[in-house]
Amino acid sequence: MKSINHGYNPFVKTAICIALSGSMLAIAPAARADAISDLKAQIDALQKKFDELAATQAAAAKAPPAPANVVTGGATPGSFKLPGSDTSVTFGGYVKGDAIFSSKSAGTNSVGDQALFPGLIPLTGDNEEKQLTLHARQSRFNIKTDTPTAMGALSTFLEFDLFGTDGNESASNSHNLRLRHAFGSLGGLLVGQTWSNFMDPGALPETLDFGGPVGEMFVRQAQIRWTQAFAGGKWSVSLENPESIVALPSGVGFRADDDRIPDITGKIDFNTAKGRYSITGMARQIRLDSPAAPAATTQKWGGVIGLNGVIPTTGKDDFRFSVNYGNVIGRYSGNGTAFRDGILDANSNLDLPNQWGAIASYRHFWTSNLRSTVALSGLGVSNPSTAHGSLFKNAQSAHLNLIWSPVAKTDLGIEYIHARREIQSGQSGNLNRLQASAQYAF
């Protein structure tokens, strides 16, 4: 802050007294004398405050710098700097508790009872009716750093949640940590694990359900990404970790062990006065070298294209959508529980069937701290007629919620979920679910 000299000035004081006393000429002499005396006292008091302020500023200017071993405030909101460091460190995350009542269980100790995954929606005749589950596995913790350099900001981000190895529900519920994000960026270069560049996380609807709509694209993986801004938006390309999961003639999914070419993705983001939109694309090589089918050593290339958007409507409301179509969506959808990346027939021919996923949602703010989202979604694949009957065919879901934020960083909500799944044989199943959640961020 710039220092201002408020020192004593007798000429200014005299001028003020003359100007104000001139306006009192019409007042009786005795009264006028009293008024002038009072005015002088007020000016003296004001001058004293100015002098004290100037002395304080002068002392601050002469104060020695903070000791080198003292933690100081960082350059970004809510951050701090460690002694002797230019790096701003920020801790973040939240604690979230969920209570979920399902019309049908997804199976013993199944994550499908804790979040909606399309490939785990119970089929008719499967498992027991009705299931109540309480858990806090979505809770997460992250660390972010920002360091200024000659080439711009050097940033890192590390985040974990509790959806690692399942813990038992009989005593401690000791679920293990799971890595979500671990990446660094300098300028336009990002290296590490984070959301796939093929995704558009900002276009996903706000749900209490951790799994989300069945048609969403959802993958986090290691990658090398370059992002470049342009007038009205940005574009990005990335090379990402490849992994081929092919369905054998028995219907069992087999993970190839000889992936050789990274998944190649691209995205263009447009920011306009009428909303934000993105076009995504991906090319993948699907490979299979299976000891379960010795004659099958083959590979095929395929591609996917997607369109996503967030469109403001009235007030704080918005409409969000996501549509994706191609023949190698595979593990990029349904949290890996639905599609296979390819299907191997009895003659050891590799087929890449056409697949699609779509979401449409609307978020409405009833008040500044009370909002609702309705989200409709679908997911489907055109399997060959010879595909095994147990393979995923299609799914649909609907989410409707009400979320209240009584204070900042606190969300309390309730959500109704309806979902349906069908497999290649024609067998299907419906799921109705009610979820209540409390989330406290820090």
Side-chain angles (χ1 to χ4, degrees), residues 196-220:
S196 169
N197 189 46
F198 179 68
M199 289 178 57
D200 188 341
L204 297 178
E206 182 182 30
T207 65
L208 301 180
D209 167 36
F210 187 52
V214 295
E216 70 181 13
M217 301 296 106
F218 193 93
V219 167
R220 289 185 300 269

Side-chain angles (χ1 to χ4, degrees), residues 71-81 87-91 144-146:
V71 175
T72 60
T76 56
S79 67
F80 62 90
K81 291 182 180 179
T87 299
S88 298
V89 181
T90 306
F91 293 136
K144 179 182 178 183
T145 71
D146 291 281

Side-chain angles (χ1 to χ4, degrees), residues 96 98 100 111-118 120 135 138 140 163 178 195 199 204-205 207-218 333-337 359 377 397 399 415 417 433 435:
K96 183 170 184 273
D98 294 305
I100 303 169
V111 70
D113 288 333
Q114 301 168 357
L116 180 66
F117 298 126
L120 300 181
H135 72 90
Q138 191 178 327
R140 64 188 59 167
F163 267 96
R178 177 184 67 165
W195 304 117
M199 289 178 57
L204 297 178
T207 65
L208 301 180
D209 167 36
F210 187 52
V214 295
E216 70 181 13
M217 301 296 106
F218 193 93
S333 70
N335 287 273
T337 66
I359 308 171
S377 182
S397 69
H399 291 70
E415 181 170 79
I417 305 164
R433 176 170 288 172
Q435 178 169 339

Side-chain angles (χ1 to χ4, degrees), residues 87-88 90 143-147 153-158 182-185:
T87 299
S88 298
T90 306
I143 304 174
K144 179 182 178 183
T145 71
D146 291 281
T147 306
L154 168 62
S155 300
T156 67
F157 188 74
L158 184 66
F183 66 88
S185 63

